[in-house]
Amino acid sequence: MVFVITPGCCSDASCVAVCPVQCIRPRPGDPDFLSTEQLYIDPATCIDCQACMDECPIDAVHPDYDMPEAFGDLLKINADYFKSTPIVDASPPRHIRPKLPETRPSLRVAVVGTGPAACYAVAALSEIRGVDVSVIERLPTPFGLVRSGVAPDHGQTKRITELFKKTLSKKTVSCYFNVEVGADVSVDELLEHHHAVVWAAGADDDRKLGIPGEDLPGSYSAREMVAWYNGHPDHSDRDFDLTGETVVLVGNGNVALDVARALTGSADHFGTSDIADHALSVLADSGVTQVVVAARRGPEHAAYTTGELTSLERLDGVDLMAHADELSSQLDPDDRRDAVLIAAAEREQTENTRRIMLRYKLSPLSIQGDGHVESITFARWDGTTETIDTPLVLRAIGYRGRASVGLPFDDATGTIPHEQGRVVEGGERVSGLYCSGWIKRGATGVIGTNKTDAMETVASLIDDFVTGKLDEPPRAPEEFSALVRSRKNDVLDYDAWRRIDDEEKARGRATGRSRVKFVSVEDMLAFSRSSTA
C-alpha cells in the first residue's frame, strides 16, 4: 500500500516536514515548487507510515485502495512525476526555529489581514517565544479568500481554516476583527504600538480587458460574482443578469472554471455547500444553458489545473465541449489533461442539458450593447472575427492589488514594492513595514504558496529585529486595544468570531448544509451583541 495526493492538494507542504523518507515532491526551494499543480508521493519510496495523511490540513492524502473513484489514475500520475524528476536528496529539510536575543526578549508585530498569507505569517511568528501578534481584519469574519473566494463545492479545500483557527486562537495572538486600517487606525499608529507591521491584506481589485464597452452594465469581473455567491458582505446585494441563455467568461484559470461550474451546476450539486442562500436561489432559477470560457491562447498555455478541468467532466447534466480546430494537434491522449480536451472536442451535446464550451485562441476586441451588454466580439486564430450574443460578460483574467493609505504601491504590477518582504519606497527600505501574499508577489499560486512566501517575510522581519534595525514602539501593548476600542464600536475578538462561526454551522446542520453564512456586517454584529447579552 502507498499513499497518493489528490488534486485537492493545497501545496502548503505540511506533509513534507513529517515524511520520514522524504518521498514527497516538490519541496519548498525546489525549482518547480511554486509552479506545480500539486505535490506528489513517490510510490517506489513510500513506506506506508501514514504520517502525510495524518498531517494534511485538508485531507487530500489517500491510501491507494481508498482513492476517490474519480481519481483512479493518480497512482500512475504520481509515479510518472518521479520518472522525470527522480529523488536525489532524501535528507529532511532543515527547520531552525529562530530565537529572540536575550537583550530584546519581546517582539510585537501587527499583521493586517486574515487570509492564508496573513495566517501563515501569524503561525510562523507565534512559534517564536517572546513574540506577540495583533491581527487586524476589516470584516467581522477571518480567512479572506478561503471564505469568500474558494468555490462553495470545494469544501475539502476550505478545511485549511481549521489549521488557521488553531493559529488565531493562540494566547500570544490578539484578534481585532471589524477594524479597518486606514479608516479606524493608521499604519503609523500600528507602528507606534508594534515593532513591525506585516501587510497581508490580499488583492481585492482585478485586471481589465482594456477594450471598448468593458464598462457597460452586464460586464463585470468574475471576482465580483465569486464574492457574490460566496456571501461576501461587500457583494451580497449584487444583481447579475442570468436570464439569458449564454454567459461568456474571458480567461482560462481556475477562477473561470469555478464560475462556469457555479453557473451550470445543479442545485443538488451545491445544495449541501456553504454557498450563499441568495445565490443558491438565483442560480436555481437561472436561464443560463451555456457558458463559453474563452482563452486568448491555446490549451497548452491554460492556467487552470488538471483537477479543476477534470471536475467539469463530472458535473451531472452538464456537457463539457470544445472546438477541435482550436486545439493543438500535439495533444497526447495518454495525458490526463489532454485526454479531457480530446473527449470534449468529440462530445456531442445531449438533450436537456447545460454545457460548458471551452474556446481557445480568441482575443476579445469589443463588447457591444445599447445601455447594457448584448454581445462580445473576438478575433479568431484564423484571422476572422466572431461575435457571441450574451447579456453577461465576466472577465477572469486575474486579481490585482489595490493601493492602501500609508503604504507605497506599484501601480504597474499592483503590488507593494519590496525586497524579500521588506517594504521599499523610492529605493529605500521603510523601517518596520513588511508585506506578504498577493499584495507582495501578485495574484499567483495556490493557498499553500503563501506559506513559503510568509516564511520569507517573517525571516526578514526577525533578522531585522535581531540585528537592531527595528525601533522600540513608544506605546505600551495595552494601549493599542484601548485605542482601537475608542475609535470603533463592535470590535470583535476571536471568541466573538467563534460564536458567529458556531451559529453559521448550526444553521447549516438544520438544513443539511455545511454552513449557512451571515452575508451582511450588520447581521453579524447584531448576532454578536445578542450572543453576549
Side-chain angles (χ1 to χ4, degrees):
M1 181 179 72
V2 296
F3 287 85
V4 180
I5 301 175
T6 70
C9 175
C10 68
S11 296
D12 88 338
S14 297
C15 52
V16 171
V18 300
C19 178
V21 293
Q22 286 300 294
C23 67
I24 303 173
R25 293 294 191 278
R27 303 186 294 184
D30 288 348
D32 58 338
F33 178 75
L34 294 179
S35 61
T36 188
E37 288 192 358
Q38 65 170 83
L39 305 186
Y40 303 90
I41 297 175
D42 182 8
T45 309
C46 177
I47 60 172
D48 186 24
C49 70
Q50 195 173 310
C52 57
M53 188 171 76
D54 293 339
E55 187 70 16
C56 179
I58 63 169
D59 291 342
V61 182
H62 297 267
D64 56 3
Y65 67 84
D66 192 34
M67 275 191 297
E69 186 175 340
F71 302 137
D73 56 355
L74 278 183
L75 189 60
K76 178 180 181 299
I77 291 173
N78 273 249
D80 286 348
Y81 175 84
F82 292 94
K83 289 180 181 178
S84 59
T85 315
I87 293 177
V88 177
D89 178 14
S91 59
R94 296 183 65 194
H95 175 64
I96 301 175
R97 182 177 298 178
K99 294 182 179 180
L100 302 186
E102 294 182 1
T103 54
R104 303 185 75 187
S106 177
L107 169 64
R108 305 202 307 269
V109 181
V111 176
V112 181
T114 55
C119 286
Y120 281 126
V122 174
L125 287 163
S126 62
E127 283 185 351
I128 306 169
R129 185 183 298 274
V131 177
D132 291 295
V133 184
S134 301
V135 179
I136 301 95
E137 165 60 50
R138 180 177 69 88
L139 294 174
T141 55
F143 309 135
L145 284 182
V146 178
R147 177 179 171 92
S148 63
V150 172
D153 56 343
H154 284 3
Q156 177 178 314
T157 302
K158 295 189 178 193
R159 294 191 62 170
I160 193 72
T161 59
E162 297 303 316
L163 177 66
F164 296 158
K165 287 177 183 178
K166 293 177 182 178
T167 295
L168 297 182
S169 66
K170 291 182 178 179
K171 292 182 179 179
T172 55
V173 177
S174 300
C175 294
Y176 300 89
F177 300 153
N178 196 40
V179 175
E180 184 175 359
V181 178
D184 303 315
V185 63
S186 69
V187 172
D188 286 343
E189 287 173 326
L190 291 181
L191 286 172
E192 288 179 2
H193 296 83
H194 302 86
H195 294 87
V197 173
V198 177
W199 193 274
D204 62 353
D205 202 354
D206 53 87
R207 296 174 182 169
K208 312 295 184 185
L209 292 170
I211 61 175
E214 185 173 13
D215 295 327
L216 279 171
S219 170
Y220 308 107
S221 71
R223 172 186 62 84
E224 295 171 280
M225 174 161 277
V226 169
W228 170 75
Y229 61 60
N230 270 309
H232 192 292
D234 292 349
H235 299 273
S236 59
D237 60 351
R238 295 301 300 269
D239 183 17
F240 295 98
D241 184 357
L242 301 181
T243 59
E245 293 184 356
T246 298
V247 173
V248 176
L249 274 157
V250 181
N252 66 353
N254 285 345
V255 171
L257 300 197
D258 282 346
V259 175
R261 201 170 60 252
L263 290 170
T264 56
S266 67
D268 288 342
H269 179 79
F270 289 99
T272 60
S273 73
D274 66 352
I275 190 170
D277 279 351
H278 59 258
L280 188 62
S281 175
V282 171
L283 290 170
D285 294 332
S286 167
V288 176
T289 58
Q290 173 181 245
V291 175
V292 177
V293 181
R296 295 175 185 266
R297 299 193 290 175
E300 64 273 19
H301 301 291
Y304 50 66
T305 60
T306 302
E308 289 292 341
L309 178 62
T310 56
S311 71
L312 300 184
E313 275 196 317
R314 299 191 294 271
L315 280 176
D316 290 336
V318 179
D319 291 327
L320 179 64
M321 305 180 73
H323 286 198
D325 62 349
E326 294 172 354
L327 303 180
S328 169
S329 60
Q330 306 300 316
L331 293 182
D332 180 2
D334 291 328
D335 179 89
R336 182 71 179 106
R337 186 180 177 117
D338 288 355
V340 172
L341 295 178
I342 293 171
E346 296 174 346
R347 184 173 292 118
E348 295 184 5
Q349 187 176 13
T350 53
E351 294 183 2
N352 301 318
T353 62
R354 294 178 176 180
R355 68 175 175 174
I356 297 173
M357 179 63 73
L358 301 178
R359 301 293 305 276
Y360 299 95
K361 304 174 186 176
L362 298 180
S363 296
L365 294 177
S366 62
I367 298 173
Q368 295 78 231
D370 183 10
H372 192 281
V373 170
E374 296 174 4
S375 63
I376 179 171
T377 298
F378 294 93
R380 284 171 46 87
W381 61 276
D382 59 3
T384 63
T385 61
E386 178 179 347
T387 297
I388 301 174
D389 292 335
T390 177
L392 182 60
V393 173
L394 301 171
R395 61 182 181 275
I397 56 175
Y399 287 59
R400 190 178 188 277
R402 192 191 303 269
S404 299
V405 177
L407 294 168
F409 185 72
D410 184 344
D411 192 62
T413 62
T415 61
I416 293 175
H418 72 94
E419 294 176 357
Q420 295 181 306
R422 298 177 176 95
V423 173
V424 173
E425 185 170 24
E428 299 292 329
R429 294 178 181 175
V430 183
S431 178
L433 287 184
Y434 302 82
C435 59
S436 184
W438 279 4
I439 196 65
K440 171 187 174 185
R441 69 179 188 276
T444 61
V446 295
I447 289 174
T449 312
N450 293 287
K451 185 175 184 179
T452 303
D453 188 294
M455 294 292 286
E456 178 188 63
T457 295
V458 169
S460 295
L461 189 161
I462 296 299
D463 181 67
D464 289 348
F465 180 74
V466 170
T467 55
K469 296 176 182 175
L470 299 183
D471 297 330
E472 287 293 317
R475 303 290 185 182
E478 60 273 12
E479 292 184 64
F480 180 68
S481 179
L483 172 69
V484 172
R485 296 178 190 283
S486 71
R487 299 270 182 84
K488 181 80 175 201
N489 294 326
D490 294 311
V491 177
L492 274 61
D493 59 14
Y494 180 78
D495 288 338
W497 149 243
R498 282 303 301 266
R499 290 191 292 273
I500 292 174
D501 185 42
D502 289 343
E503 176 66 12
E504 288 185 339
K505 289 187 289 189
R507 293 181 180 185
R509 286 192 297 270
T511 57
R513 299 171 59 190
S514 57
R515 73 170 62 228
V516 173
K517 292 178 178 177
F518 289 98
V519 297
S520 79
V521 170
E522 292 76 14
D523 288 347
M524 294 177 200
L525 298 181
F527 173 78
S528 179
R529 296 186 202 106
S530 66
S531 66
T532 57

